[in-house]
């Protein structure tokens, strides 16, 4: 009774996509969607999603909880590393000065990266410490809602 690996991975990816969308994030799956969204005026939180354990156990829960705060970005979006490769590559073009990292978060303001929470700041940390990092960035770059 062998399990088809692709069937298994498709289920894992679907669950990871559904989890972040249920938290209120809009999925960007093309380079054109990324350009249009990240070049908008205001602030955007980009969550670079992945199927790794630290994405599921730390980053996605932190993404869901961090937005329940007095200040938050105008837009919440996600790209999926390893899945929507062109969209992810285009998003990373905005992350000037930061190496590719997934999972990760970027604060984009008026089309320019202002800060990131990179994988090394997520992996091995408690979800609440990532929430606190994100909310500190919200205090610095976002307006009260």
């Amino acid at each position: 009774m062998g399990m088809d690996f692709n069937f298994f991975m498709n289920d894992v990816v679907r669950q990871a996509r559904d989890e972040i969308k249920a938290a209120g994030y809009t999925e960007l799956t093309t380079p054109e969607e990324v350009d249009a969204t990240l070049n908008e005026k205001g602030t955007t939180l980009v969550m670079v999603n992945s199927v790794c354990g630290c994405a599921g156990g730390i980053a996605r829960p932190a993404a869901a909880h961090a937005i329940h705060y007095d200040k938050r970005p105008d837009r919440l979006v996600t790209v999926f590393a390893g899945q929507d490769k062109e969209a992810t590559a285009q998003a990373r073009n905005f992350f000037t000065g930061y190496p590719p990292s997934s999972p990760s978060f970027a604060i984009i303001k008026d089309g320019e990266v202002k800060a990131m929470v990179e994988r090394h700041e997520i992996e091995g940390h408690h979800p609440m410490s990532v929430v606190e990092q994100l909310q500190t960035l919200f205090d610095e770059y976002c307006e009260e809602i």
Side-chain angles (χ1 to χ4, degrees), residues 24-80:
Y25 288 70
T26 301
E27 201 171 36
L28 305 178
T29 59
T30 68
E32 295 78 15
E33 290 175 336
V34 170
D35 277 343
T37 302
L38 300 191
N39 280 311
E40 288 185 47
K41 290 285 184 204
T43 54
T44 305
L45 177 63
V46 182
M47 192 271 182
V48 180
N49 202 357
S50 84
V51 295
C52 71
C54 63
I58 303 167
R60 286 193 300 272
H65 291 287
I67 60 176
H68 301 286
Y69 195 62
D70 293 340
K71 293 182 178 182
R72 68 178 248 191
D74 300 312
R75 286 166 298 284
L76 306 170
V77 301
T78 183
V79 294
F80 207 124

Side-chain angles (χ1 to χ4, degrees), residues 1 7-8 13 30 83 92 101 109 114 119 135 143:
M1 217 168 34
F7 180 78
F8 172 75
V13 169
T30 68
Q83 301 300 312
R92 287 177 171 154
S101 177
K109 187 166 187 171
K114 295 297 182 181
R119 181 185 176 108
Q135 290 176 342
E143 300 297 320

Side-chain angles (χ1 to χ4, degrees), residues 125-144:
H125 293 83
H126 191 278
M128 285 311 296
S129 74
V130 178
V131 167
E132 290 167 3
Q133 289 180 73
L134 291 170
Q135 290 176 342
T136 297
L137 296 175
F138 296 171
D139 279 336
E140 187 170 349
Y141 298 107
C142 302
E143 300 297 320
E144 199 164 316

